[in-house]
Amino acid sequence: MRPWPALVLALLGAAVPLVQQRIDARQDRWRAQAESLYVGDGRALRRLLPGFEVLAADLYWLRAVQYYGGKLAFEVGQPMPLLAPLLEITTTLDPRLEIAYRYGAIFLCEPPPRGAGDCPAGLRLLEKGVATEHLRHAWGMYQDLGYFRFLYMKDAAGASRDLMRGASEPGAPPTLASLAGSLLEKGGEARAARRIWKDLYEQYPEGYLRDNARFNLRRLEALDAIEQLNEVGQRLVAAGQSRPKRAEDLARWGVPPGLLRDSTGVPFEWDEARDSYYFGRSSEFWRPR
Amino acid sequence: MDGGGLRRVLAVATNTYRETVRERVLYNLVFFAVLMILSGLLLKELSIRQDEKIVKDVGLGAMEIFGTAIAAFIGVGLVSKEIERRSLYPLLAKPLGRGEFLLGKYLGLCFTLMVNLAVMTAGLYLTLAWTGRRLDPALLAAVWGIALQLLLVVAFALLFSTLTSPLLAATCTLALVVAGRFSDVVRNMRELLPDVPAWLPTLVYYAVPNYRNFDFKAHVVYRDAVPLGDLAWASLYAAVYVALALGLALQVFRRRDLN
Amino acid sequence: MNDGCAIVTEGLTKSYPHGHVVRHLRPALRGLDLRVERGEIFGCLGPNGSGKTTTIKLLMGLIHPDSGRATILGQPVAAQGWRTRVGYLPEHPYFYDYLTAEEYLDYAGRLFGLDRATRRARREQLLAQVGLARSARVPLRRYSKGMLQRLGLAQALVNDPELVLLDEPMSGLDPIGRRLVRDLILDLRRQGKTVFFSTHILSDAETLCDRVAVLREGALLKAGLLSEILDLDVAHVEVLLASVGPEALPAGLGPAERLGERLRLRLPESGLAAALEAARAAGGRVLSVQPVRQSLEDFFFRELGTPGKEESWTVED
């Protein structure tokens, strides 16, 4: 090609990304608004795509997963307003997409920064699923309902009802019924919680959700340790000693080192506001009151 | 039709197939194959535990969309193009009946589409194998449904192309596909619009070809068994409609002046 | 209807819808009565738009007449039986450009039900006859207009037809091609076949046709032997002289035209001797003496008047 036209073309080609950057800079201002666009309404979409609802559901599921993952990776702690609508559309387009209900519920129920922190929405999603003809008899859905109702909403009685419902469905493991029972026992809740997280840990494949179950399991173990530390602390106070601010100082009184830190190695500390020992500020298990 | 007629139909059909091959109609297959493989590999990473289903959904959906688009656009060109370019004149001067010509064109294009579909199916299975999945023969039920749909689309494309210009014919063919997909809406109109006399939506419902009859994709992906009876009835429906469309096309074509 | 005729038409009429918003019918052919005998070369003449192509398309069954009827080789047009014995070349033909000439002729042969050996033999023979043997394997999209025209002739003869209809067979051909086609047509007659062709090139008709029909605006003006239509006695003589001026010639002979150094005279036959005498006496040379008979062109100008704004015809293309 002759030099002049080639030069002009090269300049035009270089101009494109430059202009695009300018546009991006301007539009970042209203990117937050742009988030809510193009989500649409599930029933309307279903109407528009006869024959391709299942495919569209797949794509919306992908969108939901990417949205959730993106928030976790790049906007930690930010609210996730679009998660529930995306999952709603996904399950409206394809009511049989079991995974969208179950994993979607976890994404919704987990408190920030690991989830949307909207457990009622998560439970509503699962309830929508068991109302459908196809999933009415899926014991796994009832299991998740019970688990999440108990773990996040602390509603042991309601959870027990869900688990019993699931236990009567074909293919349900016997543990469901026994778990339902222990939830109703006094003091059985802590044990039940541990069992549930362990069960979820074993159910999920390698990946984020499994890590999440492991995280919660460790958290519960740490909370047990904290209880024991609190007992030690109370005995000290009763004996007229002062309670040490840092849990590590309790080693003097023979507390085993395993109880002094959480599983990531961050030592516990006395939290005045909670009136209890609690996770260190730098620990990943720490949560604001 | 006697033996000579059959030979002539086959001659037209083979020539039509040769045309589509040489006009590189089937190059879309390459595009499709790339799309398939990319989707299989990419979606595995993007999703949680849905990769097999998504690959199947994308694969079957793409086969249906690509196949329908090709069926409509080339089917339409079959007769319109020949008339516009007058390539039809020397042919019809020979002992080739107009019906034999139409039938040969139809068969040639159907053969092309079936080859197309077979290659795309193989591509889908290959992608599934590549991502380490079991090969599921139940997919073929959905493929058969798509094949029926394509046979019907071509027949209508042929009919419209005997009636009007290529662009309008393509639009009408595709509009009919869309309308056929929304046939349940039409059927429900009886309840939605109580003022309209009941026979009208019923008439429209039976007149518009119901493409939902051929849609077994969701069944197959969720591993519901597709009863052989369903497939058989759907095939019968397609056969009847194809005969209707071709028959109408022949009547129009016979009377038409070639200008 | 007379069985001995190749083509007979009675009152053949056809109109086309015309106009976009308001459609009215424009007559393309009005009550055509025609008779083509077997074994003759019949020319259908007329300016563009006179109905020649419409006639041929009606005969081939590509369009349907409003009224009237026609028979081909004794059978009505609607009967398909005659098609195995007829060949047709349309105007501005288009063949599938993704095929080669060989393949197209093979396809044509299959439509006639010829077996493979026959198809191959006919292919080779015809391609040689029309001078396309070397380009047999070239895709038709690379063919020039003239080559396509010659292929068109070949496909019209695949079945060794008794009757051949050609619509403007000379169009798009260079002089060599035209000579080839002319020879081919004469050869067909020698084989006893009938040739019906339409043209607006008058000289072709003059050289080839036994009988002609002259159409104008869809109506038949005259039909018959060329000798009947034209007055074939010598109309005048054209003389070409050199080195002599018009002043040397006797007055009142006829118009004289100066062409550079030469002089062209148009004289009645009676004045020829006097002119030659005078030229020789003045020291000039006689270059040529050409008797001119009435041509179709003259006939046209006389019968049809000067061309209307929609019409056009030519002597030589």
Side-chain angles (χ1 to χ4, degrees), chain B residues 7-8 10-12 14-16 18-19 22-23 82 85-98 101 105 254-259, chain C residues 14 16 57 60-64 80 82-84 86 88 90-92 94-100 103-104 107-108 110-113 141 155:
Chain B
R7 271 197 294 271
R8 287 189 292 269
L10 281 176
V12 176
T14 6
N15 192 57
T16 304
R18 193 166 17 181
E19 172 176 10
R22 294 202 187 167
E23 298 286 294
E82 298 246 12
R85 298 222 196 132
R86 308 194 198 183
S87 46
L88 205 45
Y89 294 1
L91 289 185
L92 289 183
K94 299 179 173 37
L96 177 69
R98 293 201 184 187
F101 172 74
K105 278 285 181 186
R254 279 226 175 101
R255 293 185 195 356
R256 191 179 161 153
D257 281 348
L258 300 178
N259 283 313
Chain C
K14 180 70 182 173
Y16 290 125
K57 281 165 85 169
M60 293 309 298
L62 294 173
I63 57 182
H64 303 94
Q80 299 286 320
W82 51 266
R83 291 190 187 272
T84 49
V86 172
Y88 168 55
E91 193 184 5
H92 307 311
Y94 175 84
F95 308 110
Y96 301 120
D97 54 5
Y98 52 88
L99 292 179
T100 67
E103 287 168 341
Y104 190 83
Y107 184 34
R110 282 180 78 175
L111 294 178
F112 280 113
R141 67 167 58 91
Q155 64 87 33

Coordinates of all heavy atoms in Angstrom, one line a residue, chain B residues 7-8 10-12 14-16 18-19 22-23 82 85-98 101 105 254-259, chain C residues 14 16 57 60-64 80 82-84 86 88 90-92 94-100 103-104 107-108 110-113 141 155:
Chain B
R7 N -35.9 -39.8 -12.7 CA -34.6 -39.5 -13.1 C -34.4 -38.0 -13.2 O -33.3 -37.5 -12.8 CB -34.2 -40.2 -14.4 CG -33.6 -41.6 -14.2 CD -32.9 -42.0 -15.5 NE -33.9 -42.2 -16.6 CZ -34.5 -43.3 -16.8 NH1 -34.3 -44.4 -16.1 NH2 -35.4 -43.4 -17.8
R8 N -35.4 -37.3 -13.8 CA -35.2 -35.9 -14.0 C -35.2 -35.2 -12.7 O -34.4 -34.2 -12.4 CB -36.3 -35.4 -14.9 CG -36.2 -35.7 -16.4 CD -37.2 -35.0 -17.2 NE -38.5 -35.4 -17.0 CZ -39.2 -36.4 -17.7 NH1 -38.5 -37.1 -18.6 NH2 -40.4 -36.7 -17.4
L10 N -34.2 -36.4 -9.9 CA -32.9 -36.6 -9.3 C -31.8 -35.7 -9.9 O -30.9 -35.3 -9.2 CB -32.5 -38.1 -9.4 CG -33.2 -38.9 -8.3 CD1 -32.9 -40.4 -8.6 CD2 -32.8 -38.5 -6.9
A11 N -31.9 -35.5 -11.2 CA -30.9 -34.7 -11.9 C -31.0 -33.3 -11.4 O -30.0 -32.7 -11.1 CB -31.2 -34.7 -13.4
V12 N -32.2 -32.8 -11.2 CA -32.3 -31.4 -10.6 C -31.8 -31.4 -9.2 O -31.1 -30.4 -8.8 CB -33.8 -30.9 -10.7 CG1 -34.0 -29.6 -10.0 CG2 -34.3 -30.9 -12.1
T14 N -29.6 -33.3 -7.7 CA -28.1 -33.4 -7.6 C -27.5 -32.1 -8.0 O -26.5 -31.6 -7.4 CB -27.5 -34.5 -8.6 OG1 -28.5 -35.0 -9.4 CG2 -26.8 -35.5 -7.8
N15 N -28.1 -31.4 -9.1 CA -27.5 -30.2 -9.5 C -27.7 -29.1 -8.4 O -26.8 -28.3 -8.2 CB -28.2 -29.7 -10.8 CG -27.4 -28.5 -11.4 OD1 -26.3 -28.6 -11.7 ND2 -28.1 -27.4 -11.5
T16 N -28.8 -29.1 -7.7 CA -29.1 -28.2 -6.6 C -28.1 -28.4 -5.5 O -27.5 -27.4 -5.0 CB -30.5 -28.4 -6.1 OG1 -31.4 -28.2 -7.1 CG2 -30.8 -27.3 -5.0
R18 N -25.2 -29.7 -5.8 CA -23.9 -29.2 -6.3 C -23.8 -27.7 -6.2 O -22.8 -27.1 -5.9 CB -23.7 -29.6 -7.7 CG -22.3 -29.5 -8.2 CD -22.0 -30.2 -9.5 NE -23.1 -30.6 -10.3 CZ -23.0 -31.3 -11.4 NH1 -21.8 -31.6 -11.9 NH2 -24.0 -31.6 -12.1
E19 N -24.9 -27.0 -6.5 CA -24.9 -25.6 -6.4 C -24.6 -25.1 -5.0 O -23.8 -24.2 -4.8 CB -26.3 -25.0 -6.8 CG -26.5 -23.5 -6.6 CD -27.8 -23.0 -7.1 OE1 -28.6 -23.9 -7.5 OE2 -28.0 -21.8 -7.2
R22 N -20.9 -25.6 -4.2 CA -20.0 -24.7 -4.9 C -20.2 -23.3 -4.5 O -19.3 -22.5 -4.6 CB -20.1 -24.9 -6.4 CG -19.6 -26.2 -6.8 CD -19.3 -26.3 -8.2 NE -19.0 -27.7 -8.6 CZ -18.9 -28.1 -9.9 NH1 -19.0 -27.2 -10.8 NH2 -18.6 -29.3 -10.1
E23 N -21.4 -22.9 -4.1 CA -21.7 -21.6 -3.7 C -21.3 -21.4 -2.2 O -21.6 -20.4 -1.6 CB -23.1 -21.2 -3.9 CG -23.6 -21.2 -5.3 CD -23.1 -20.1 -6.2 OE1 -23.5 -18.9 -5.9 OE2 -22.3 -20.3 -7.1
E82 N -33.7 -18.2 -9.9 CA -33.8 -18.8 -11.3 C -34.6 -18.0 -12.2 O -34.2 -17.8 -13.4 CB -34.3 -20.2 -11.2 CG -33.5 -21.1 -10.3 CD -32.9 -22.2 -11.1 OE1 -32.9 -22.2 -12.4 OE2 -32.3 -23.2 -10.5
R85 N -32.8 -14.6 -13.0 CA -31.7 -14.7 -13.9 C -32.0 -15.5 -15.2 O -31.1 -15.8 -15.9 CB -30.5 -15.4 -13.2 CG -30.1 -14.6 -12.0 CD -28.6 -14.7 -11.9 NE -28.2 -14.3 -10.6 CZ -27.3 -14.9 -9.8 NH1 -26.8 -16.0 -10.3 NH2 -26.9 -14.5 -8.7
R86 N -33.2 -15.9 -15.3 CA -33.6 -16.6 -16.5 C -33.0 -17.9 -16.7 O -33.0 -18.5 -17.9 CB -33.4 -15.8 -17.8 CG -34.0 -14.4 -17.7 CD -34.0 -13.7 -19.0 NE -34.1 -12.3 -19.0 CZ -34.2 -11.6 -20.0 NH1 -34.2 -12.1 -21.2 NH2 -34.3 -10.3 -19.9
S87 N -32.3 -18.5 -15.7 CA -31.7 -19.8 -15.9 C -32.7 -20.9 -16.1 O -32.5 -22.0 -16.5 CB -30.7 -20.1 -14.8 OG -31.3 -19.9 -13.6
L88 N -33.9 -20.5 -15.7 CA -35.0 -21.4 -15.8 C -35.5 -21.7 -17.2 O -36.0 -22.8 -17.5 CB -36.2 -20.9 -14.9 CG -37.2 -21.8 -14.4 CD1 -36.5 -23.0 -13.7 CD2 -38.1 -21.1 -13.3
Y89 N -35.4 -20.7 -18.1 CA -36.0 -20.8 -19.4 C -35.5 -22.0 -20.2 O -36.3 -22.8 -20.6 CB -35.7 -19.5 -20.2 CG -36.4 -18.3 -19.7 CD1 -37.2 -18.3 -18.6 CD2 -36.3 -17.1 -20.4 CE1 -37.8 -17.1 -18.1 CE2 -36.8 -15.9 -19.9 CZ -37.6 -16.0 -18.8 OH -38.2 -14.8 -18.4
P90 N -34.2 -22.1 -20.3 CA -33.7 -23.3 -21.1 C -34.1 -24.6 -20.5 O -34.3 -25.6 -21.1 CB -32.2 -23.1 -21.2 CG -31.8 -22.1 -20.2 CD -33.0 -21.3 -19.9
L91 N -34.2 -24.6 -19.1 CA -34.5 -25.9 -18.4 C -35.9 -26.3 -18.7 O -36.2 -27.5 -19.0 CB -34.3 -25.8 -16.9 CG -32.8 -25.6 -16.5 CD1 -32.8 -25.6 -15.0 CD2 -32.0 -26.8 -17.0
L92 N -36.9 -25.4 -18.5 CA -38.3 -25.8 -18.7 C -38.6 -26.0 -20.1 O -39.7 -26.6 -20.4 CB -39.2 -24.7 -18.1 CG -39.1 -24.6 -16.6 CD1 -40.1 -23.6 -16.1 CD2 -39.5 -26.0 -15.9
A93 N -37.8 -25.5 -21.0 CA -38.0 -25.8 -22.5 C -37.8 -27.3 -22.7 O -38.4 -27.9 -23.6 CB -37.1 -25.0 -23.3
K94 N -37.0 -28.0 -21.9 CA -36.8 -29.4 -22.0 C -37.9 -30.1 -21.4 O -38.7 -29.6 -20.7 CB -35.4 -29.7 -21.4 CG -34.3 -28.9 -22.1 CD -33.0 -29.2 -21.5 CE -31.9 -28.5 -22.3 NZ -32.2 -27.2 -22.9
P95 N -37.9 -31.5 -21.6 CA -39.1 -32.2 -21.1 C -39.0 -32.3 -19.5 O -39.0 -33.4 -19.0 CB -38.9 -33.6 -21.7 CG -37.5 -33.7 -22.2 CD -37.1 -32.3 -22.5
L96 N -38.9 -31.2 -18.9 CA -38.8 -31.1 -17.4 C -40.1 -30.4 -17.0 O -40.3 -29.2 -17.2 CB -37.6 -30.4 -17.0 CG -37.5 -30.2 -15.5 CD1 -37.2 -31.5 -14.8 CD2 -36.4 -29.1 -15.2
G97 N -41.0 -31.2 -16.3 CA -42.2 -30.6 -15.8 C -41.9 -29.6 -14.7 O -40.9 -29.7 -14.0
R98 N -42.8 -28.6 -14.5 CA -42.6 -27.6 -13.5 C -42.6 -28.3 -12.1 O -41.9 -27.9 -11.2 CB -43.6 -26.5 -13.6 CG -43.5 -25.7 -14.8 CD -44.1 -24.4 -14.7 NE -44.1 -23.6 -16.0 CZ -44.4 -22.4 -16.1 NH1 -44.9 -21.7 -15.1 NH2 -44.3 -21.8 -17.3
F101 N -39.4 -30.0 -11.5 CA -38.3 -29.0 -11.2 C -38.4 -28.6 -9.7 O -37.4 -28.6 -9.0 CB -38.5 -27.8 -12.1 CG -37.7 -26.6 -11.7 CD1 -36.3 -26.7 -12.0 CD2 -38.2 -25.5 -11.1 CE1 -35.5 -25.6 -11.6 CE2 -37.4 -24.5 -10.7 CZ -36.0 -24.5 -11.0
K105 N -35.6 -29.4 -6.8 CA -35.0 -28.3 -6.0 C -35.2 -28.6 -4.5 O -34.3 -28.4 -3.8 CB -35.7 -27.0 -6.4 CG -35.2 -26.4 -7.6 CD -33.8 -25.8 -7.4 CE -33.3 -25.1 -8.6 NZ -31.9 -24.6 -8.4
R254 N -47.3 -23.5 -11.7 CA -47.8 -23.9 -13.0 C -48.5 -22.8 -13.7 O -48.3 -22.6 -14.9 CB -48.8 -25.0 -12.8 CG -48.2 -26.4 -12.6 CD -48.9 -27.4 -13.4 NE -48.2 -28.7 -13.3 CZ -48.7 -29.7 -12.5 NH1 -49.8 -29.5 -11.8 NH2 -48.0 -30.8 -12.4
R255 N -49.2 -21.9 -12.9 CA -49.9 -20.9 -13.6 C -49.1 -19.7 -13.9 O -49.5 -18.8 -14.6 CB -51.1 -20.4 -12.7 CG -52.1 -21.5 -12.6 CD -53.3 -21.0 -11.8 NE -54.2 -22.0 -11.3 CZ -54.1 -23.3 -11.5 NH1 -53.1 -23.8 -12.3 NH2 -54.9 -24.2 -11.0
R256 N -47.9 -19.6 -13.3 CA -47.1 -18.4 -13.4 C -46.5 -18.2 -14.7 O -45.9 -19.1 -15.3 CB -46.0 -18.4 -12.3 CG -45.4 -17.1 -12.1 CD -44.4 -17.1 -11.1 NE -43.5 -16.0 -11.3 CZ -42.9 -15.3 -10.4 NH1 -42.9 -15.8 -9.2 NH2 -42.1 -14.3 -10.7
D257 N -46.6 -16.9 -15.2 CA -45.8 -16.5 -16.4 C -44.4 -16.2 -16.0 O -44.1 -15.5 -15.0 CB -46.4 -15.2 -17.0 CG -47.7 -15.5 -17.9 OD1 -47.9 -16.7 -18.1 OD2 -48.4 -14.5 -18.2
L258 N -43.4 -16.7 -16.8 CA -42.1 -16.5 -16.5 C -41.6 -15.3 -17.2 O -41.3 -15.3 -18.4 CB -41.2 -17.7 -16.8 CG -41.6 -19.0 -16.1 CD1 -40.8 -20.1 -16.5 CD2 -41.5 -18.8 -14.6
N259 N -41.5 -14.2 -16.5 CA -41.0 -12.9 -17.2 C -39.7 -12.4 -16.7 O -39.6 -12.2 -15.5 CB -42.1 -11.9 -17.1 CG -43.2 -12.2 -18.0 OD1 -43.0 -12.5 -19.2 ND2 -44.4 -12.2 -17.6
Chain C
K14 N -51.5 -11.8 -26.3 CA -50.9 -11.7 -24.9 C -50.8 -10.2 -24.5 O -50.3 -9.4 -25.3 CB -49.5 -12.4 -24.8 CG -48.9 -12.3 -23.5 CD -49.6 -13.2 -22.5 CE -49.0 -13.1 -21.1 NZ -49.8 -13.8 -20.1
Y16 N -49.5 -7.6 -21.2 CA -48.8 -7.5 -19.9 C -49.3 -6.4 -19.1 O -49.6 -5.3 -19.6 CB -47.3 -7.3 -20.1 CG -46.6 -8.5 -20.7 CD1 -45.9 -8.4 -21.9 CD2 -46.7 -9.8 -20.1 CE1 -45.2 -9.4 -22.4 CE2 -46.0 -10.8 -20.7 CZ -45.3 -10.7 -21.9 OH -44.6 -11.7 -22.4
K57 N -41.7 -17.2 -26.4 CA -42.0 -17.7 -25.0 C -43.4 -18.3 -25.0 O -43.6 -19.3 -24.2 CB -41.9 -16.5 -24.0 CG -40.5 -16.2 -23.6 CD -40.3 -14.9 -22.9 CE -40.6 -15.0 -21.5 NZ -40.2 -13.7 -20.8
M60 N -42.9 -21.7 -26.4 CA -42.2 -22.7 -25.5 C -43.0 -22.9 -24.2 O -42.5 -23.7 -23.4 CB -40.8 -22.1 -25.1 CG -39.9 -22.0 -26.3 SD -39.7 -23.6 -27.2 CE -39.1 -24.6 -25.9
G61 N -44.1 -22.3 -24.1 CA -44.9 -22.6 -22.9 C -44.4 -21.9 -21.6 O -44.8 -22.3 -20.5
L62 N -43.5 -20.9 -21.8 CA -43.0 -20.2 -20.6 C -44.0 -19.2 -20.1 O -44.1 -18.9 -18.9 CB -41.7 -19.5 -20.9 CG -40.5 -20.4 -21.3 CD1 -39.4 -19.6 -21.8 CD2 -40.1 -21.3 -20.1
I63 N -44.9 -18.7 -21.0 CA -46.0 -17.9 -20.6 C -47.3 -18.4 -21.2 O -47.2 -19.2 -22.1 CB -45.7 -16.4 -21.0 CG1 -45.5 -16.3 -22.5 CG2 -44.6 -15.8 -20.2 CD1 -45.2 -14.8 -22.9
H64 N -48.4 -18.0 -20.6 CA -49.7 -18.5 -21.1 C -50.4 -17.4 -21.9 O -50.4 -16.2 -21.5 CB -50.5 -18.9 -19.9 CG -49.9 -19.9 -19.1 ND1 -49.1 -19.6 -18.0 CD2 -49.8 -21.3 -19.2 CE1 -48.6 -20.7 -17.4 NE2 -49.0 -21.7 -18.1
Q80 N -46.7 -32.2 -23.4 CA -45.3 -32.1 -23.2 C -44.5 -32.9 -24.2 O -43.3 -32.8 -24.2 CB -44.9 -32.5 -21.7 CG -45.6 -31.7 -20.7 CD -45.0 -30.3 -20.6 OE1 -43.8 -30.2 -20.6 NE2 -45.8 -29.3 -20.4
W82 N -43.8 -33.0 -27.3 CA -42.9 -32.4 -28.4 C -41.6 -31.9 -27.8 O -40.6 -31.7 -28.6 CB -43.6 -31.3 -29.1 CG -44.2 -30.2 -28.2 CD1 -45.4 -30.1 -27.6 CD2 -43.5 -29.1 -27.6 NE1 -45.6 -29.0 -26.8 CE2 -44.4 -28.3 -26.8 CE3 -42.2 -28.6 -27.8 CZ2 -44.0 -27.2 -26.2 CZ3 -41.8 -27.4 -27.1 CH2 -42.7 -26.7 -26.3
R83 N -41.5 -31.8 -26.5 CA -40.3 -31.2 -26.0 C -39.0 -32.0 -26.2 O -37.9 -31.4 -26.2 CB -40.4 -30.9 -24.5 CG -41.5 -29.8 -24.2 CD -41.5 -29.4 -22.7 NE -42.6 -28.5 -22.5 CZ -42.5 -27.2 -22.6 NH1 -41.4 -26.6 -23.1 NH2 -43.5 -26.4 -22.4
T84 N -39.2 -33.3 -26.4 CA -38.0 -34.1 -26.6 C -37.4 -33.8 -28.0 O -36.3 -34.2 -28.3 CB -38.2 -35.6 -26.5 OG1 -39.4 -35.9 -27.3 CG2 -38.5 -36.0 -25.1
V86 N -37.5 -30.7 -29.6 CA -37.3 -29.3 -29.8 C -36.1 -28.8 -29.1 O -35.9 -29.2 -27.9 CB -38.6 -28.6 -29.4 CG1 -38.4 -27.1 -29.5 CG2 -39.7 -28.9 -30.4
Y88 N -34.2 -25.0 -27.8 CA -34.5 -23.6 -27.5 C -33.3 -22.8 -26.9 O -32.6 -23.3 -26.1 CB -35.7 -23.6 -26.5 CG -36.0 -22.2 -25.9 CD1 -36.3 -21.1 -26.8 CD2 -36.1 -22.0 -24.6 CE1 -36.6 -19.9 -26.2 CE2 -36.4 -20.8 -24.0 CZ -36.7 -19.7 -24.9 OH -37.0 -18.5 -24.3
P90 N -32.8 -19.1 -25.3 CA -33.5 -17.8 -25.0 C -32.6 -16.6 -25.2 O -31.4 -16.7 -25.5 CB -33.7 -18.0 -23.5 CG -32.7 -18.9 -23.0 CD -32.4 -19.8 -24.2
E91 N -33.2 -15.4 -25.2 CA -32.5 -14.2 -25.4 C -31.7 -13.9 -24.1 O -32.1 -14.2 -23.0 CB -33.5 -13.1 -25.6 CG -32.9 -11.8 -26.1 CD -33.9 -10.7 -26.2 OE1 -35.1 -11.0 -25.8 OE2 -33.6 -9.6 -26.7
H92 N -30.5 -13.4 -24.2 CA -29.6 -13.2 -23.1 C -29.6 -14.3 -22.1 O -30.0 -14.2 -21.0 CB -30.0 -11.9 -22.3 CG -30.2 -10.7 -23.2 ND1 -29.2 -10.3 -24.1 CD2 -31.2 -9.8 -23.3 CE1 -29.6 -9.2 -24.7 NE2 -30.8 -8.9 -24.3
Y94 N -28.8 -17.2 -19.4 CA -28.0 -17.3 -18.2 C -27.9 -18.7 -17.8 O -28.9 -19.4 -17.7 CB -28.6 -16.4 -17.0 CG -27.8 -16.6 -15.8 CD1 -26.6 -15.8 -15.5 CD2 -28.2 -17.5 -14.8 CE1 -25.9 -16.0 -14.4 CE2 -27.4 -17.7 -13.7 CZ -26.3 -17.0 -13.4 OH -25.6 -17.1 -12.3
F95 N -26.7 -19.2 -17.6 CA -26.6 -20.6 -17.2 C -25.9 -20.6 -15.8 O -25.3 -19.6 -15.4 CB -25.8 -21.4 -18.2 CG -26.3 -21.3 -19.6 CD1 -25.6 -20.6 -20.6 CD2 -27.5 -21.8 -19.9 CE1 -26.2 -20.5 -21.9 CE2 -28.1 -21.7 -21.2 CZ -27.4 -21.0 -22.2
Y96 N -25.9 -21.6 -15.2 CA -25.4 -21.6 -13.8 C -23.9 -21.4 -13.8 O -23.1 -22.2 -14.4 CB -25.7 -23.0 -13.1 CG -27.1 -23.3 -13.1 CD1 -27.6 -24.5 -13.7 CD2 -28.0 -22.5 -12.4 CE1 -29.0 -24.8 -13.6 CE2 -29.4 -22.8 -12.3 CZ -29.8 -23.9 -13.0 OH -31.1 -24.2 -12.9
D97 N -23.5 -20.3 -13.2 CA -22.1 -19.9 -13.4 C -21.2 -20.8 -12.5 O -20.0 -20.6 -12.6 CB -21.9 -18.4 -13.1 CG -22.4 -18.0 -11.8 OD1 -22.9 -18.8 -11.0 OD2 -22.4 -16.8 -11.5
Y98 N -21.7 -21.6 -11.7 CA -20.9 -22.5 -10.9 C -20.6 -23.8 -11.6 O -19.8 -24.7 -11.1 CB -21.5 -22.8 -9.5 CG -22.9 -23.3 -9.6 CD1 -23.1 -24.6 -9.7 CD2 -23.9 -22.4 -9.6 CE1 -24.4 -25.1 -9.8 CE2 -25.2 -22.9 -9.7 CZ -25.4 -24.3 -9.8 OH -26.7 -24.7 -9.9
L99 N -21.2 -24.0 -12.8 CA -20.9 -25.2 -13.5 C -20.0 -24.9 -14.7 O -19.8 -23.8 -15.0 CB -22.2 -25.7 -14.1 CG -23.3 -26.3 -13.2 CD1 -24.5 -26.7 -14.0 CD2 -22.8 -27.4 -12.4
T100 N -19.4 -26.0 -15.2 CA -18.6 -25.8 -16.4 C -19.5 -26.2 -17.6 O -20.6 -26.7 -17.4 CB -17.4 -26.8 -16.4 OG1 -17.9 -28.1 -16.5 CG2 -16.6 -26.7 -15.2
E103 N -20.3 -29.7 -17.7 CA -21.3 -30.1 -16.8 C -22.7 -29.7 -17.1 O -23.7 -30.4 -16.9 CB -21.0 -29.6 -15.4 CG -19.8 -30.3 -14.7 CD -19.3 -29.5 -13.5 OE1 -19.6 -28.3 -13.4 OE2 -18.6 -30.1 -12.7
Y104 N -22.8 -28.5 -17.7 CA -24.1 -28.0 -18.1 C -24.7 -28.8 -19.2 O -25.9 -29.2 -19.1 CB -24.0 -26.5 -18.5 CG -25.4 -25.9 -18.6 CD1 -26.1 -25.4 -17.5 CD2 -26.1 -25.9 -19.8 CE1 -27.4 -24.9 -17.6 CE2 -27.4 -25.4 -20.0 CZ -28.0 -24.9 -18.8 OH -29.3 -24.4 -18.9
Y107 N -25.9 -32.0 -17.7 CA -27.2 -31.8 -17.0 C -28.3 -31.7 -18.0 O -29.4 -32.4 -17.9 CB -27.1 -30.5 -16.2 CG -28.2 -30.1 -15.4 CD1 -29.0 -31.1 -14.7 CD2 -28.6 -28.8 -15.2 CE1 -30.0 -30.7 -13.9 CE2 -29.6 -28.4 -14.3 CZ -30.3 -29.4 -13.7 OH -31.4 -29.0 -12.9
A108 N -28.1 -31.0 -19.1 CA -29.2 -30.9 -20.1 C -29.5 -32.2 -20.7 O -30.7 -32.6 -20.9 CB -28.8 -29.9 -21.2
R110 N -29.1 -35.1 -19.3 CA -29.9 -35.9 -18.3 C -31.3 -35.6 -18.3 O -32.2 -36.5 -18.2 CB -29.3 -35.7 -16.9 CG -28.0 -36.4 -16.6 CD -27.5 -36.1 -15.3 NE -28.3 -36.9 -14.3 CZ -28.0 -37.0 -13.0 NH1 -27.0 -36.2 -12.5 NH2 -28.7 -37.7 -12.2
L111 N -31.6 -34.3 -18.5 CA -33.1 -33.9 -18.5 C -33.8 -34.5 -19.7 O -35.0 -34.6 -19.8 CB -33.2 -32.4 -18.5 CG -32.7 -31.7 -17.2 CD1 -32.9 -30.2 -17.3 CD2 -33.5 -32.3 -16.0
F112 N -33.0 -34.8 -20.8 CA -33.6 -35.4 -22.0 C -33.6 -37.0 -21.8 O -34.1 -37.6 -22.7 CB -32.9 -35.1 -23.2 CG -33.2 -33.7 -23.8 CD1 -32.3 -32.7 -23.8 CD2 -34.5 -33.5 -24.3 CE1 -32.7 -31.5 -24.3 CE2 -34.8 -32.3 -24.8 CZ -33.9 -31.2 -24.8
G113 N -33.1 -37.5 -20.7 CA -33.1 -38.9 -20.5 C -32.0 -39.6 -21.3 O -32.2 -40.8 -21.6
R141 N -18.8 -18.9 -15.0 CA -18.7 -17.5 -14.6 C -17.6 -16.8 -15.3 O -17.5 -15.6 -15.3 CB -18.6 -17.4 -13.1 CG -17.3 -17.9 -12.5 CD -17.2 -17.5 -11.1 NE -18.3 -17.9 -10.3 CZ -18.3 -19.0 -9.6 NH1 -17.3 -19.8 -9.6 NH2 -19.4 -19.3 -8.8
Q155 N -26.5 -26.2 -26.0 CA -27.5 -26.9 -25.2 C -28.8 -27.0 -25.9 O -29.6 -27.9 -25.6 CB -27.6 -26.1 -23.8 CG -28.2 -24.7 -23.9 CD -29.7 -24.6 -23.9 OE1 -30.3 -25.5 -23.3 NE2 -30.2 -23.6 -24.6

